[in-house]
């Protein structure tokens, strides 16, 4: 998954304004105690990060 696709999915689910705030502030154990931004900066694949976000935030199957 490309980063542009990842950020589009984040914006589609959370809204443009909240997506970045969520990605910056919300720490998830599935990301090793990191935020989305930290996980991506640490080299995590965007697809893996999206899977964790979907699991933690109960994103509907049609958006996954």
């Amino acid at each position: 998954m490309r980063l542009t696709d990842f950020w589009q999915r984040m914006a589609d689910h959370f809204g443009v304004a909240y997506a970045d705030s969520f990605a910056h502030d919300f720490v998830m154990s599935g990301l090793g105690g990191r935020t989305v931004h930290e996980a991506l900066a640490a080299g995590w694949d965007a697809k893996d990060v999206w899977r964790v976000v979907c699991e933690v935030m109960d994103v509907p199957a049609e958006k996954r």
Side-chain angles (χ1 to χ4, degrees):
M1 171 185 296
R2 294 180 179 182
L3 279 176
T4 54
D5 294 333
F6 172 82
W7 288 114
Q8 185 60 53
R9 289 179 188 211
M10 290 285 288
D12 288 346
H13 182 70
F14 293 105
V16 175
Y18 185 62
D20 188 58
S21 177
F22 172 85
H24 187 271
D25 297 331
F26 197 84
V27 174
M28 291 175 266
S29 61
L31 296 177
R34 295 177 178 93
T35 66
V36 167
H37 282 294
E38 291 170 338
L40 292 171
W44 281 59
D45 185 274
K47 189 173 189 175
D48 294 331
V49 175
W50 179 243
R51 286 182 182 146
V52 172
V53 170
C54 289
E55 182 180 313
V56 170
M57 300 307 293
D58 200 25
V59 174
E62 63 271 8
K63 288 188 174 183
R64 292 182 181 209

